[in-house]
Amino acid sequence: MAKKDIEENQGDTAEAAKTNDVETHVSDKEREAIAKMPYEQARDQLIQAVQALETGGLDLDASMRQWEIGEALAQRAQYLLNQVRGKLDEAQAQQASAGENAGTQSNLE
């Protein structure tokens, strides 16, 4: 995945959250913080949000907040996984290309 595609994908995710007509329970500042999180932190906080929802006992507003936080964290984690997948795909393509040329005159040029 090209850097431009990755940046556009992240921008689309952030824009989708902002253009939603439904009242949000997560502030822009919180969304910005999530957008900067490393994968492990997003994953760990997503687990906490899911556990809070599974435990129950939250009122409707608190449940919606946990849900929205979980959605934002899941999107961040998926974005980062997609970045890694793109890099792995590029590396595999380069390795396959290098393997095709190994031991040939074109490899020396």
Side-chain angles (χ1 to χ4, degrees), residues 34 37 41-47 49 66 68-78:
I34 290 170
M37 284 183 185
Q41 184 180 1
R43 179 202 59 212
D44 292 347
Q45 288 190 16
L46 174 58
I47 291 168
Q66 286 301 312
E68 289 177 15
I69 288 171
E71 286 289 321
L73 291 164
Q75 288 174 1
R76 174 62 179 166
Q78 189 61 55

Side-chain angles (χ1 to χ4, degrees), residues 73-84:
L73 291 164
Q75 288 174 1
R76 174 62 179 166
Q78 189 61 55
Y79 166 77
L80 292 169
L81 289 173
N82 289 345
Q83 265 191 318
V84 171

Side-chain angles (χ1 to χ4, degrees), residues 87-108:
K87 290 177 183 178
L88 289 173
D89 290 346
E90 286 178 26
Q92 287 176 335
Q94 287 177 354
Q95 188 175 30
S97 175
E100 291 172 3
N101 295 329
T104 65
Q105 185 65 29
S106 64
N107 191 34
L108 301 174

